[in-house]
Amino acid sequence: MKLVGIVGTNSSESTNRRLLQYMKQHYSEQAEIEICEIDEIPVFDEPEDKTAPQAVQVLSDKIAASDGVIFATPEYDHSIPAVLKNAIEWLSYTTRPLINKPVMIIGASLGALGTSRAQAHLRQILEAPELKALIMPNVEYLLGRALEAFDDNGNMVYEDKAKELDNDFTEFLSFVKLTEKLTANSKFFEISKQFSWKQVANGEDM
Amino acid sequence: MKFIGIVGTNAKKSYNRMLLQFMQKHFASKAEIEILELKDVPMFNESKDQSDSPIIQEFNRKIEASDGVIIATPEHNHSIPAALKSIIEWLSFNLHPLDGKAVMIVGASYNIQGSSRAQLHLRQVLDAPGVNASVMPGSEFLLGKAQDAFDNKGDLKSQRTIDFLDSCFAKFMKFSDIIAQMNIPEDITYEPGTFKVTAVGHNGDLPMEVTLSDDRIEKIDIDTSSETQGIADVAFKRIPQQIIDGQTLNVDVVSGASITSRGVVDGVAKAVKMAGANPDILKKRKKSNGPNKQNVVEYQTDVVVVGAGGAGLTAAARTIQQGKKAIVLEKFPAIGGNTVRAGGPMNAADPEWQNKFEEITGERHTLKEISEIDEKTIDVEYLADFKALKKQINEYLKENEDKKAYLFDSKLLHRIQTYLGGKRTDLQGNKIYGQYDLVKELTDHALESVKWLEDIGVKFDKTQVTMPVGALWRRGHKPLGSQGFAFIEALKKYLESNDGQIMTDTAAKELIIEDGQVKGIIARSSDGKKIIVHAKAVVLASGGFGANTKMLKKYNTYWSNIDDNIKTTNSPAITGDGIRLGQSAGAELVGMGFSQMMPVSDPETGELFSGLQVPPQNFVMVNQKGKRFVNEYGSRDELTKAAIDNGSLFYLIADDAIKETAYNTSQAQIDKQVEQGTLYRDDTLEGLAKQVGMDPATFVKTINDYNSYVDAGEDPEFHKSAFDLKVEKAPFYATPRKPAVHHTMGGLKIDTDAHVINQDEKIIPGLYAAGEVAGGIHAGNRLGGNSLSDIFTFGRIAANNALKDMES
Ligand SMILES: Cc1cc2nc3c(=O)[nH]c(=O)nc-3n(C[C@H](O)[C@H](O)[C@H](O)COP(=O)(O)OP(=O)(O)OC[C@H]3O[C@@H](n4cnc5c(N)ncnc54)[C@H](O)[C@@H]3O)c2cc1C
Ligand SMILES: Cc1cc2nc3c(=O)[nH]c(=O)nc-3n(C[C@H](O)[C@H](O)[C@H](O)COP(=O)(O)O)c2cc1C
């Protein structure tokens, strides 16, 4: 199975990146996780021609070729970072590779409290009509005190948290398999690909 | 007011930009909205700090200087656009200009439900600790189907939408005012002295001495002789420095020495407590901005004015008109004081203009009554004027004996009404009335003030002449635009475009007095800076003391009781500071025991302009039993005393036609208040009575009686002196009201040149006072609309004489 792990920040130091690296290493037998960065993506400004810039196209292709996507998001001001939102806006405005793509949301934070608000926002965002990702339900993986969470070899020191992630990840793998059947020939897919907010406004509600 | 509008997207074409541009245009008479764009804002990156870049600095500076921020957000993928999120992240990282700032959220989008999800997310984001904005609750303005909403001039097409936007914006103006008041750092005063406490060291407690002056932490000495050198040493230097620089106990602990850091803070807190103050106030203050900040700033000017209300801004504008320099110090972040709250017109007899209007029922009767007053009851200074007035009135009555007449007025009538209206006796039997020379000065020059304001840029509505509540006569000049704000806005514009300097967040604390001559002011800014203004003259224009219940109670000789928790219509800044400053120079006080209650205030907030406030000829007041209890056309304290005797809470009754005469509201506001239960509405009088808990039969009889008095032109019960409309057209309204502190007539003793007079009846050189801070004019009761005349007249006089005295 091929998965894409998106680092939800452009910061050079990121515990979310560490968390994805841990998963990549730790679950290498079950899946191949490719870690993707979003810091090179230009600022989204609704260009008239709806073509994706190079960096967006690269990310989009990787997502399209994958079986599922893991978003690791920090929380900035009670929501996801602008830079992650920026990447998502490009994807929704141009290539729309997330439609019907299985998605797992995780988040690491420095404080004891995790990233639950950002994760909730991300869920709502990915449910928007031009994104329509298939988000794994019932799972909210929050890693608090993330700075001290990994030892020098990149292993997770909190046993309970490591176990929880094992469970959640296994569940995600079955979720990906399950959705393959669901989406094999979904008409929904085509509608979403063509969705435009102008249509909604014109009364062609969906 | 000045707001910043942020277009929540960087797209070239944006309906949210159009919405803000519409608001900018539509609300131009109420507030200035400057629109900021996100186009050049870089993507936020924690590892590449660009807080110092010009664009982010511009956002920071402009937001800090504003009275509030309006964010127009589109909805992108069920949330706010990344571009908007990015600027908020920059403004929550190293800079925090939104901290405590009033924010209004609006949004336009294609979707019918508009941008509701984005707005909700934005609320959560703005609520995050690093941002900490004060977002206006409720009033969600969503513009759905944005592509159809504007006409080709960029105006919103739907009147209903505009009405709703109006009501949201009106609420935001109020909201930002309240938020500004919340941001005023709480004042703290210490019992001065040096207090011995302890700090926590590595080897046990260390002796520490904290020296406090009246309002500052001056020195913190820690005896570290028993300590070993180390990291804690840094804490012993840095923490006291931060505390003194910022006058705050909200400090960054030194990493690696958190225990010793907190030990110092706790020690100082203990000293503050010993000095009789509450250290929590200091803990809530902002962190220090760093030690390299200049802590004392000095200025030199011709005239320094304390208080940026109507009187103060007038004095400054008049100074500048004559080619001299002026600085205005204002304690609050926003200017305007009580003057922006004034909802009524200003009084000035202008017969030429007033004569163009017809008399209304009852006015002739009022004149007759005045002319029939026994001359023996008129105080001797006023007697000659009274006789002259009587002559004027009799001529007028004779001339118009059998016909509908024009509206009469004269300077003399204004003077005599100010005198008669202010005449009172307090609980101890002391009689008071307006000092003749001051009342003459006021009534002689009030019309000049109207003309002068027109020159400054205030536009008046010449199409109607009104009578503010408690004014006794229709001689109100009503500015176009929103009442009190219209004056302040024009004065502010004038000062700004003529190099006048207004320093907000700066409270005057002390007069500089050298050899008996007042030579300036020492002030303190809310971030702890000491500001010294050297000047040739000081004008005190800090308003009265209506928001200082302690002071009211201390001087009160008029009301049988003033509750500790009495509400006020005043700005919370109106705490008598100028009176105390004057006293420090030996000023005499006059009439301090007399304060005015506003009988028709909101029972919950003290506010005046909620519910339906109509001209008094249309007032119908009933008590909680549903009965009238007073001549509604009476003076404020007659109404107040009657209200207090009837259990304080009473109701203003209106029908649909009377509603139309309300000057303070819109249908949207009315509907909202009815919904919130702060205003009652019913299709029948019986139903209305039931809603407010009165006996329906009693209430209906009261109203029927009232209507018959209007028909007859005479009120045998309470002798209401002027009527207009009956209560007959459904739906009917009841506005609950209660008296609240409204005005303080007493204050510094001044002469007709606005010099402050000391206890030996001598002029205090260099010191002038104008406006509510001064006493003597309104005596026991100020007429509605006379205050505005007072502040613009004596504000000018103070400046004129300050400059004249400077020459000699
Ligand atoms: C709700 C309301 C409605 C009113 N309606 C009318 C009306 O319709 N007609 C009428 O004639 N009158 C009305 N009045 C009365 C009138 O508004 C005031 O009496 C008048 O505005 C006072 O003006 P002022 O310039 O003396 O003081 P203010 O306008 O009150 O200004 C005083 C300023 O001084 C500042 N200040 C205080 N202490 C300090 C300090 N230590 N250092 C620096 N600054 C300081 C205050 O913050 C304030 O900005 C109304 C009053 C209220 C409260
Ligand atoms: C990337 C993108 C995502 C959008 N997502 C939403 C959405 O979640 N909900 C919505 O009501 N409209 C959405 N829209 C449509 C906007 O409402 C529409 O473009 C609107 O005009 C945005 O406001 P603006 O004109 O100020 O840019 C989206 C538009 C874009 C470009």
Side-chain angles (χ1 to χ4, degrees):
Chain A
M1 188 170 296
K2 253 182 86 77
L3 301 177
V4 164
I6 297 181
V7 182
T9 168
N10 48 3
S11 169
S12 53
E13 284 299 315
S14 160
T15 49
N16 282 282
R17 187 178 294 117
R18 296 264 289 272
L19 178 58
L20 280 174
Q21 282 161 348
Y22 164 82
M23 289 173 76
K24 179 186 166 102
Q25 181 189 22
H26 198 70
Y27 301 125
S28 56
E29 314 241 301
Q30 286 129 290
E32 181 194 328
I33 302 177
E34 182 178 3
I35 296 177
C36 294
E37 301 285 349
I38 52 176
D39 56 330
E40 306 264 275
I41 296 179
V43 175
F44 174 71
D45 60 354
E46 275 182 64
E48 301 255 317
D49 73 289
K50 297 197 163 195
T51 46
Q54 173 71 13
V56 176
Q57 194 59 52
V58 170
L59 175 66
S60 177
D61 290 346
K62 283 183 180 162
I63 293 173
S66 74
D67 298 306
V69 178
I70 305 168
F71 282 93
T73 181
E75 182 166 300
Y76 287 180
D77 297 332
H78 288 177
S79 187
I80 63 169
V83 67
L84 175 56
K85 184 77 205 313
N86 187 58
I88 295 174
E89 280 169 17
W90 274 116
L91 296 174
S92 83
Y93 190 73
T94 58
T95 51
R96 302 191 173 172
L98 281 163
I99 296 169
N100 284 352
K101 195 61 70 182
V103 163
M104 175 183 191
I105 299 174
I106 59 177
S109 62
L110 299 187
L113 295 170
T115 54
S116 66
R117 292 195 191 90
Q119 292 198 28
H121 279 193
L122 184 54
R123 253 171 214 282
Q124 277 182 291
I125 291 165
L126 292 174
E127 274 165 5
E130 66 283 60
L131 288 158
K132 276 270 180 321
L134 295 173
I135 309 151
M136 177 164 64
N138 305 327
V139 170
E140 187 190 41
Y141 184 78
L142 316 162
L143 182 66
R145 288 175 287 118
L147 262 189
E148 301 100 75
F150 302 98
D151 66 17
D152 291 344
N153 302 320
N155 290 317
M156 203 182 293
V157 291
Y158 309 138
E159 269 175 43
D160 51 336
K161 276 292 168 189
K163 200 131 152 248
E164 186 186 332
L165 188 57
D166 289 348
N167 287 338
D168 288 351
F169 189 70
T170 315
E171 202 160 317
F172 182 55
L173 295 181
S174 9
F175 179 71
V176 172
K177 290 204 189 88
L178 190 75
T179 54
E180 266 164 26
K181 291 190 195 119
L182 271 176
T183 57
N185 47 15
S186 163
K187 211 173 112 218
F188 210 50
F189 185 80
E190 275 315 305
I191 300 174
S192 296
K193 270 279 186 200
Q194 285 152 20
F195 172 86
S196 122
W197 283 98
K198 280 206 177 93
Q199 266 172 20
V200 176
N202 294 339
E204 303 166 29
D205 219 337
M206 10 194 322
Chain B
M1 283 200 177
K2 169 137 197 198
F3 296 125
I4 294 298
I6 298 179
V7 181
T9 170
N10 50 7
K12 281 204 192 70
K13 180 167 166 35
S14 158
Y15 293 110
N16 284 282
R17 183 178 297 117
M18 285 174 77
L19 176 59
L20 275 180
Q21 284 165 346
F22 171 75
M23 289 175 74
Q24 186 179 46
K25 188 164 65 174
H26 183 66
F27 296 122
S29 68
K30 300 203 170 75
E32 183 187 335
I33 301 177
E34 178 177 354
I35 298 178
L36 297 184
E37 294 282 353
L38 298 179
K39 192 165 60 71
D40 300 323
V41 176
M43 180 55 67
F44 175 76
N45 189 328
E46 229 188 311
S47 336
K48 289 188 201 132
D49 186 9
Q50 294 172 65
S51 301
D52 285 336
S53 65
I55 176 79
I56 290 167
Q57 281 296 326
E58 184 190 352
F59 269 85
N60 183 52
R61 202 179 53 243
K62 291 196 165 156
I63 290 174
E64 274 203 337
S66 73
D67 297 312
V69 177
I70 303 168
I71 302 180
T73 183
E75 183 166 296
H76 284 180
N77 310 128
H78 289 182
S79 186
I80 62 172
L84 175 57
K85 184 76 200 314
S86 177
I87 186 67
I88 298 176
E89 285 170 8
W90 283 121
L91 300 180
S92 69
F93 186 48
N94 281 326
L95 307 166
H96 303 274
L98 287 162
D99 190 350
K101 199 55 75 180
V103 175
M104 174 185 190
I105 299 176
V106 299
S109 120
Y110 287 154
N111 206 339
I112 299 194
Q113 27 158 336
S115 47
S116 62
R117 285 171 287 221
Q119 291 202 18
L120 217 57
H121 281 193
L122 183 53
R123 271 174 200 279
Q124 286 176 302
V125 168
L126 292 171
D127 195 38
V131 189
N132 203 26
S134 300
V135 185
M136 177 166 69
S139 299
E140 205 178 28
F141 185 83
L142 313 162
L143 184 68
K145 292 197 178 259
Q147 69 282 21
D148 298 329
F150 297 95
D151 65 18
N152 49 18
K153 286 192 304 224
D155 291 337
L156 281 174
K157 287 194 237 164
S158 150
Q159 188 55 42
R160 274 189 53 199
T161 308
I162 295 176
D163 286 346
F164 183 59
L165 185 61
D166 284 348
S167 82
C168 293
F169 191 75
K171 195 170 139 196
F172 184 57
M173 303 242 319
K174 236 188 235 173
F175 179 75
S176 45
D177 229 21
I178 293 168
I179 292 302
Q181 287 158 20
M182 274 179 55
N183 288 336
I184 310 291
E186 246 181 287
D187 256 349
I188 193 161
T189 43
Y190 310 110
E191 200 64 60
T194 297
F195 299 87
K196 288 191 182 1
V197 286
T198 52
V200 184
H202 266 295
N203 311 331
D205 288 353
L206 301 175
M208 170 159 85
E209 281 187 1
V210 181
T211 306
L212 303 173
S213 65
D214 207 26
D215 60 351
R216 274 178 72 79
I217 303 169
E218 300 287 356
K219 222 162 101 194
I220 300 169
D221 285 324
I222 305 169
D223 179 359
T224 54
S225 51
S226 64
E227 273 290 292
T228 41
Q229 295 284 83
I231 182 81
D233 228 33
V234 183
F236 291 139
K237 285 208 189 76
R238 208 176 281 170
I239 300 291
Q241 194 62 48
Q242 284 185 46
I243 293 176
I244 291 174
D245 285 340
Q247 293 293 311
T248 176
L249 287 178
N250 180 8
V251 296
D252 289 320
V253 299
V254 175
S255 355
S258 54
I259 295 178
T260 38
S261 298
R262 289 203 189 94
V264 175
V265 172
D266 291 345
V268 177
K270 222 181 290 164
V272 166
K273 232 185 194 155
M274 288 160 80
N278 178 5
D280 291 339
I281 295 176
L282 297 179
K283 286 183 183 157
K284 275 187 264 165
R285 282 193 178 167
K286 280 198 178 149
K287 285 184 183 160
S288 150
N289 286 337
N292 44 10
K293 215 169 166 180
Q294 236 184 320
N295 271 318
V296 181
V297 195
E298 297 201 38
Y299 295 87
Q300 185 85 46
T301 190
D302 293 315
V303 177
V304 60
V305 179
V306 178
L313 295 176
T314 297
R318 190 69 197 113
T319 302
I320 283 170
Q321 272 185 335
Q322 298 178 63
K324 297 282 183 202
K325 283 186 296 179
I327 293 180
V328 186
L329 306 178
E330 169 54 51
K331 162 160 93 168
F332 262 27
I335 65 168
N338 272 355
T339 308
V340 283
R341 297 183 174 225
M346 73 182 273
N347 291 339
D350 185 1
E352 225 173 277
W353 170 60
Q354 285 160 289
N355 290 173
K356 295 192 186 114
F357 298 87
E358 281 190 347
E359 65 171 341
I360 58 175
T361 322
E363 281 176 345
R364 198 180 284 233
H365 187 71
T366 304
L367 289 176
K368 220 180 252 155
E369 270 182 357
I370 293 174
S371 71
E372 284 162 6
I373 292 174
D374 183 354
E375 285 181 6
K376 284 206 276 300
T377 66
I378 302 292
D379 290 283
V380 54
E381 312 91 291
Y382 286 94
L383 198 54
D385 283 350
F386 180 72
K387 286 183 176 156
L389 172 64
K390 220 160 119 174
K391 203 161 147 250
Q392 286 179 352
I393 292 178
N394 287 334
E395 275 164 15
Y396 165 84
L397 292 176
K398 197 154 164 223
E399 174 193 337
N400 298 295
E401 209 162 359
D402 313 302
K403 56 175 192 240
K404 184 101 184 163
Y406 56 87
L407 169 61
F408 172 85
D409 205 9
S410 69
K411 283 179 181 165
L412 286 179
L413 178 60
H414 188 194
R415 186 173 313 150
I416 293 299
Q417 283 187 317
T418 303
Y419 155 67
L420 291 172
K423 204 165 167 176
R424 288 291 183 280
T425 307
D426 69 10
L427 298 169
Q428 297 152 8
N430 301 311
K431 210 179 96 176
I432 194 171
Y433 56 86
Q435 192 180 310
Y436 177 77
D437 54 352
L438 294 178
V439 174
K440 178 167 164 35
E441 191 75 16
L442 171 70
T443 49
D444 277 345
H445 299 284
L447 185 57
E448 270 164 39
S449 299
V450 174
K451 302 252 155 76
W452 181 80
L453 286 165
E454 281 179 323
D455 286 345
I456 289 292
V458 178
K459 294 194 183 62
F460 288 92
D461 178 359
K462 302 278 183 197
T463 64
Q464 46 173 316
V465 54
T466 50
M467 176 179 118
V469 186
L472 302 184
W473 200 249
R474 288 192 297 147
R475 60 170 70 89
H477 298 249
K478 181 174 172 278
L480 287 170
S482 64
Q483 313 271 328
F485 180 67
F487 297 114
I488 296 298
E489 193 191 27
L491 285 163
K492 180 182 172 199
K493 268 211 187 112
Y494 180 86
L495 286 174
E496 278 174 354
S497 45
N498 289 285
D499 287 335
Q501 196 177 354
I502 305 175
M503 297 168 59
T504 52
D505 278 309
T506 305
K509 290 282 181 193
E510 264 174 68
L511 292 176
I512 303 172
I513 307 176
E514 288 166 19
D515 303 328
Q517 166 94 27
V518 178
K519 292 212 157 147
I521 289 275
I522 299 174
R524 183 79 64 189
S525 69
S526 60
D527 58 5
K529 264 184 289 185
K530 180 176 185 173
I531 288 159
I532 304 175
V533 187
H534 302 281
K536 296 182 188 126
V538 172
V539 177
L540 298 175
S542 58
F545 55 101
N548 186 339
T549 311
K550 255 198 201 154
M551 193 165 167
L552 279 163
K553 289 180 77 120
K554 173 177 165 193
Y555 287 104
N556 170 50
T557 56
Y558 189 66
W559 303 105
S560 52
N561 176 44
I562 295 179
D563 275 351
D564 284 334
N565 62 358
I566 188 149
K567 302 283 189 283
T568 179
T569 61
N570 283 204
S571 148
I574 306 305
T575 47
D577 300 11
I579 294 175
R580 283 193 301 259
L581 287 171
Q583 279 182 301
S584 74
E588 174 76 314
L589 306 182
V590 288
M592 290 293 286
F594 295 83
S595 57
Q596 185 174 63
M597 302 278 172
M598 178 50 93
V600 287
S601 304
D602 189 299
E604 299 303 326
T605 62
E607 234 184 295
L608 258 187
F609 296 101
S610 61
L612 296 175
Q613 290 281 9
V614 300
Q617 64 261 32
N618 288 335
F619 269 176
V620 184
M621 296 180 173
V622 303
N623 63 18
Q624 295 164 53
K625 297 208 174 82
K627 288 193 173 145
R628 283 180 67 227
F629 59 94
V630 69
N631 166 9
E632 290 93 338
Y633 219 62
S635 68
R636 289 178 179 172
D637 66 339
E638 283 160 11
L639 298 183
T640 299
K641 281 203 162 137
I644 291 175
D645 291 345
N646 280 269
S648 285
L649 180 67
F650 64 96
Y651 299 89
L652 288 177
I653 306 302
D655 74 344
D656 202 49
I658 295 179
K659 178 203 80 184
E660 294 300 326
T661 66
Y663 20 62
N664 61 307
T665 194
S666 66
Q667 192 60 44
Q669 276 177 342
I670 292 173
D671 294 343
K672 190 127 203 203
Q673 291 177 53
V674 170
E675 201 177 292
Q676 289 166 345
T678 52
L679 172 66
Y680 301 94
R681 175 168 62 197
D682 209 290
D683 283 333
T684 65
L685 288 169
E686 288 84 353
L688 190 65
K690 276 189 209 135
Q691 278 199 41
V692 295
M694 307 166 185
D695 172 40
T698 313
F699 178 62
V700 171
K701 180 169 182 324
T702 302
I703 296 302
N704 289 341
D705 288 350
Y706 178 83
N707 288 345
S708 72
Y709 305 155
V710 177
D711 285 335
E714 172 121 38
D715 166 16
E717 269 188 285
F718 298 100
H719 311 286
K720 184 173 179 186
S721 21
F723 317 96
D724 188 9
L725 297 170
K726 290 192 276 190
V727 182
E728 51 190 1
K729 190 167 164 230
F732 303 99
Y733 293 88
T735 304
R737 299 285 86 173
K738 226 181 200 177
V741 178
H742 187 54
H743 192 86
T744 50
M745 277 76 70
L748 300 170
K749 187 175 170 73
I750 56 168
D751 64 12
T752 52
D753 291 340
H755 291 116
V756 178
I757 304 299
N758 73 12
Q759 286 158 354
D760 304 324
E761 299 280 311
K762 295 223 168 64
I763 287 170
I764 301 173
L767 191 62
Y768 306 80
E772 205 173 326
V773 72
I777 301 175
H778 309 290
N781 176 54
R782 170 180 66 81
L783 300 190
N786 256 5
S787 228
L788 293 171
S789 329
D790 171 358
I791 62 180
F792 299 124
T793 303
F794 281 91
R796 287 186 301 124
I797 292 175
N800 288 345
N801 288 292
L803 299 193
K804 205 165 99 193
D805 295 346
M806 241 174 246
E807 303 292 302
S808 55

